Amino acid sequence: CHQQVTDSHQHGKYWRPCSPSFHGETSFVCENRKWQMFADACASLDVQSLFQVRHLLWPVLIISCKDSPFLHPLSDLRKPAHGKPGGGAKYFGDDDHGNSNCQADFSCIIPDILSSPAIPGNIADIVELLKKISLLLSENVNRGKMQTYSRIANHILNSSIISNWAFVKDRNASSILLDSVNLFAGKLLLRNGSERIQERFISTKGYSIHKNTSGKSFDFSMEFNNTGNITGHVVIPEEELSRLPKASKAISIAFPTLGAIIETSRLDPVSVNGMVLSVSLPEELRHILLTFEKVNKLENVKAQCVGWHSTERRWDNRACKMTSDNISSVVCVCKYHRRTFKSFSILMSPAVLRNAVLDYVTRVGLGLSICSLVLCLIIEAVVWRHVTKTEITYMRHFCLVNIATSLLIADVLFILAAVVHNTALNYQLCVAATFFLHFFYLALFFWMFTLGLLILYGLLLIFFKITRSVFIATAFSVGYGCPLVISVLTVAITEPKNGYLRSGACWLNWYETKALLAFVVPALSIIVVNVVVVIVVVVKTGRSSVGEGCKSQDLSNMIRISKNVALLTPLLGLTWGFGLATVVDSRSLAFHVTFALLNAFQVNSARLGMVCDQTLSLGKGSRSKRGWQHALCVKNRV
């Protein structure tokens, strides 16, 4: 498919019209040399006809949405759909059951909705329909309206059509549906102090509450799929109810399948492992207690309590704290905020390795790395005047100091990012931590790239001399200028769409916006270049033995080559190449521990080589003058 080029192909995509009985189009993308469906907007449901002639009930909707592609101008309200006499849906007020029921609960649109197949295009239209109802018809939501609304939502929440959500054009459709249901259900009027509307895949319950109530709970047991029911439990603690100044209402909505739908729509690496529970509470209440039954009961996978961030449209673990976790259920304490956190669930992350050995290696290695970097910079400061007497040694040590400084700051920022992520600090701090972490890790790689170029300069351009001022200006432009440009462009492009951060960590997003490529591509490119540098060094330093038959010379040459490779591998960051193994098999503990060890102790190996290099420059041994000249020549060349 990558070789096909037609007028309908743009950026690796092409669009195909729907069959004659549907309206819309289907889009495809080229992946692995095959066309794969990306979005299916083909729909058979004519949402326009649902509103076109139903002005008796919905005048405010028609007036407010007259620019919607689903609606015709008011002058066309009494024209039959598609221009055919008697065509289209039944009139509001003229249905077979009389107009009273339709005006009270708009139930006359139910036959049109339920008779339509739940294909991606129809799902998108129904989500838009529910959104319009929530925004414009949410006054006096009685039991009849809520029943009709729930039946419409239930049609697209069915467990049998979850996979269809993956091809809905708007990837935020599931989030829009959740917000719409929460808004509409929150306006539900309670009869005699309580209400209960039950469908197979959505359930709504409401109770009157006041400060003297001894605690209120909502229990849900609902079908997830053919394997049986899952349960959820919402409790408003008594101490929270004591905050209420007057009698109020509390409403909770349960969605057994919406978590899987969100996962399918967003291609998120984490899996929702329970039903989604939403609440609509008075503003005075701050915390609620929730119990979730796990869908997949696995002993080796930890659960995580999360809240749905309605503004950023992502799961946020800062909204909840776990109080209990066993093989079958999880208990969470979550903070309620009517504009931010209204929906909650539990996640499992089978691809995220949680192992005590890996945590220990990371923490100990990071601590030793920071200590070694500080010691390295102290040694450089002490011996700086002695080891920078020539131009080439000054340039080399200038690069080494900047490599150590960048890695030290990045390590400290790594710890700060973990602190920001694990505490209830605001989103902007996480963005700031990620930006500077991205910048300084890129600076580390670009300074290693600069050192690699300097080595090539010393080996290949023997008769070309670069001045110190030109080198410093060039090195700063490459070492800090390139990372700054990449970091700024990344946050500027992805952050307006809330696609800068990944879910559950202060680091670059991958699954939605591929922001992580702004780190991976430069880093891997520099690793490849530095591998070439090491090969050139090995070839150049090994030439002295060509044509010589002395075995001692061969042995000496092999030792020199081995030392050069051992020193250059950490200094040029080649150990980061082992990170590819963790991408190939993200669940392998051996790959993760190996990668953590190599990079945690990268700086220790580099520091040892630098100290030896500095000792060689300062020391006075018993070697002959010719031997020292040979040693200094090798040192300056590598």
Side-chain angles (χ1 to χ4, degrees):
C1 64
H2 66 289
Q3 296 179 342
Q4 298 179 14
V5 179
T6 66
D7 293 339
S8 61
H9 296 180
Q10 297 179 12
H11 307 294
K13 290 185 180 180
Y14 87 90
W15 288 262
R16 188 174 67 186
C18 303
S19 60
S21 57
F22 295 86
H23 58 87
E25 61 186 10
T26 305
S27 60
F28 296 81
V29 294
C30 184
E31 293 183 359
N32 300 323
R33 298 177 178 269
K34 293 182 180 179
W35 287 111
Q36 306 287 344
M37 184 184 294
F38 178 75
D40 182 3
C42 296
S44 61
L45 181 65
D46 190 357
V47 178
Q48 173 182 304
S49 67
L50 297 179
F51 297 101
Q52 188 177 19
V53 293
R54 291 173 173 146
H55 61 287
L56 294 178
L57 176 64
W58 300 24
V60 64
L61 183 61
I62 296 171
I63 294 172
S64 302
C65 304
K66 62 184 179 181
D67 295 326
S68 169
F70 299 132
L71 305 176
H72 280 190
L74 290 177
S75 59
D76 295 335
L77 288 177
R78 297 190 176 276
K79 294 180 181 179
H82 309 300
K84 298 177 183 179
K90 297 178 180 178
Y91 285 30
F92 268 122
D94 292 334
D95 60 322
D96 294 339
H97 305 290
N99 62 16
S100 58
N101 289 338
C102 200
Q103 292 185 32
D105 58 21
F106 47 91
S107 58
C108 53
I109 67 173
I110 289 291
D112 294 315
I113 299 294
L114 300 188
S115 62
S116 64
I119 56 178
N122 285 346
I123 290 174
D125 286 350
I126 292 173
V127 169
E128 185 67 18
L129 169 66
L130 292 174
K131 178 183 176 182
K132 298 297 185 185
I133 294 175
S134 298
L135 292 175
L136 302 168
L137 298 172
S138 57
E139 296 297 328
N140 300 318
V141 178
N142 54 30
R143 179 180 177 83
K145 283 185 178 182
M146 194 66 225
Q147 284 180 324
T148 300
Y149 196 94
S150 297
R151 290 187 68 186
I152 297 173
N154 184 78
H155 182 59
I156 56 176
L157 289 170
N158 196 302
S159 59
S160 63
I161 56 99
I162 290 177
S163 59
N164 292 353
W165 281 84
F167 303 106
V168 175
K169 188 174 182 179
D170 186 355
R171 298 303 182 191
N172 291 317
S174 54
S175 176
I176 295 171
L177 174 65
L178 178 59
D179 292 339
S180 301
V181 174
N182 289 342
L183 176 62
F184 194 79
K187 304 291 184 64
L188 177 63
L189 303 176
L190 304 182
R191 301 180 307 170
N192 301 322
S194 66
E195 194 62 86
R196 179 177 182 270
I197 293 96
Q198 180 78 39
E199 295 290 337
R200 285 183 64 189
F201 302 104
I202 178 173
S203 178
T204 304
K205 293 183 180 180
Y207 295 106
S208 295
I209 56 175
H210 52 84
K211 64 169 58 180
N212 296 325
T213 307
S214 59
K216 208 67 180 177
S217 64
F218 303 83
D219 294 295
F220 298 97
S221 178
M222 302 180 67
E223 182 178 348
F224 176 72
N225 51 31
N226 295 330
T227 60
N229 287 11
I230 59 170
T231 61
H233 188 65
V234 180
V235 176
I236 305 174
E238 186 175 351
E239 58 269 21
E240 287 291 315
L241 291 172
S242 64
R243 302 173 184 268
L244 293 175
K246 59 181 180 179
S248 305
K249 67 178 179 181
I251 295 173
S252 182
I253 312 105
F255 308 87
T257 59
L258 186 58
I261 289 172
I262 292 175
E263 176 190 345
T264 301
S265 303
R266 297 177 62 83
L267 303 177
D268 205 282
V270 295
S271 298
V272 179
N273 200 24
M275 64 171 57
V276 176
L277 296 176
S278 295
V279 290
S280 178
L281 304 173
E283 292 185 6
E284 292 80 8
L285 303 187
R286 292 290 182 266
H287 294 89
I288 53 175
L289 188 69
L290 303 106
T291 302
F292 299 93
E293 180 186 355
K294 295 180 179 179
V295 176
N296 295 318
K297 300 173 176 63
L298 303 175
E299 291 184 0
N300 60 339
V301 176
K302 291 187 176 181
Q304 187 179 34
C305 300
V306 291
W308 181 256
H309 200 299
S310 57
T311 304
E312 299 169 7
R313 291 178 174 172
R314 63 181 178 89
W315 292 113
D316 195 330
N317 62 356
R318 296 172 294 180
C320 302
K321 290 184 179 180
M322 183 187 299
T323 62
S324 174
D325 183 8
N326 57 53
I327 192 173
S328 61
S329 63
V330 176
V331 180
C332 310
V333 175
C334 300
K335 59 182 180 182
Y336 168 77
H337 191 283
R338 66 185 183 91
R339 291 187 178 180
T340 307
F341 298 115
K342 297 178 68 173
S343 304
F344 309 92
S345 190
I346 54 173
L347 304 180
M348 68 172 185
S349 302
V352 176
L353 223 65
R354 299 186 182 276
N355 185 279
V357 174
L358 184 59
D359 290 342
Y360 180 80
V361 169
T362 301
R363 292 172 184 175
V364 173
L366 192 61
L368 290 176
S369 177
I370 291 175
C371 293
S372 299
L373 286 165
V374 173
L375 182 58
C376 173
L377 292 175
I378 292 174
I379 293 174
E380 282 285 351
V382 171
V383 302
W384 181 260
R385 288 188 302 171
H386 302 283
V387 298
T388 58
K389 293 181 179 180
T390 65
E391 292 292 324
I392 190 69
T393 55
Y394 176 88
M395 296 174 187
R396 185 171 71 254
H397 283 275
F398 187 82
C399 290
L400 294 177
V401 167
N402 280 280
I403 288 173
T405 302
S406 298
L407 185 54
L408 176 61
I409 297 175
D411 284 347
V412 174
L413 287 172
F414 183 88
I415 297 174
L416 292 179
V419 172
V420 170
H421 166 63
N422 291 326
T423 57
L425 298 178
N426 59 38
Y427 177 77
Q428 286 71 23
L429 277 179
C430 197
V431 171
T434 301
F435 172 81
F436 287 107
L437 192 63
H438 183 205
F439 170 73
F440 281 103
Y441 270 126
L442 280 180
L444 166 68
F445 278 95
F446 275 95
W447 275 107
M448 291 189 295
F449 173 65
T450 303
L451 179 60
L453 294 181
L454 181 63
I455 291 173
L456 289 180
Y457 158 73
L459 287 174
L460 304 179
L461 303 177
I462 300 174
F463 300 104
F464 179 78
K465 184 178 181 180
I466 184 173
T467 63
R468 184 175 298 187
S469 58
V470 172
F471 167 75
I472 293 176
T474 304
F476 267 98
S477 299
V478 175
Y480 293 121
C482 293
L484 182 62
V485 171
I486 296 173
S487 302
V488 170
L489 287 177
T490 303
V491 70
I493 293 172
T494 60
E495 178 54 23
K497 302 177 182 178
N498 293 321
Y500 185 58
L501 299 180
R502 70 170 52 186
S503 176
C506 290
W507 186 231
L508 300 173
N509 186 291
W510 171 250
Y511 286 89
E512 285 79 26
T513 61
K514 299 294 187 292
L516 185 59
L517 288 176
F519 172 73
V520 172
V521 172
L524 290 181
S525 301
I526 289 172
I527 289 172
V528 171
V529 172
N530 286 349
V531 167
V532 175
V533 171
V534 173
I535 294 174
V536 172
V537 169
V538 170
V539 172
K540 285 288 185 179
T541 57
R543 284 184 176 179
S544 60
S545 63
V546 176
E548 297 180 5
C550 181
K551 292 184 178 180
S552 61
Q553 288 290 338
D554 291 339
L555 180 60
S556 154
N557 199 46
M558 290 300 296
I559 293 175
R560 183 168 67 253
I561 291 174
S562 300
K563 286 182 178 179
N564 289 337
V565 173
L567 178 62
L568 291 177
T569 295
L571 280 180
L572 298 182
L574 304 189
T575 55
W576 286 80
F578 288 91
L580 290 175
T582 64
V583 176
V584 174
D585 188 357
S586 62
R587 301 188 185 187
S588 173
L589 178 62
F591 288 161
H592 281 272
V593 172
T594 302
F595 181 57
L597 279 171
L598 288 173
N599 286 287
F601 296 101
Q602 170 193 3
V603 66
N604 297 303
S605 303
R607 179 178 61 85
L608 180 61
M610 290 160 64
V611 170
C612 292
D613 184 48
Q614 292 157 2
T615 304
L616 178 63
S617 299
L618 294 173
K620 296 181 180 180
S622 58
R623 295 187 180 188
S624 65
K625 181 178 180 181
R626 181 179 178 184
W628 271 108
Q629 289 174 342
H630 175 72
L632 289 174
C633 179
V634 172
K635 178 175 69 67
N636 286 331
R637 288 170 63 190
V638 183

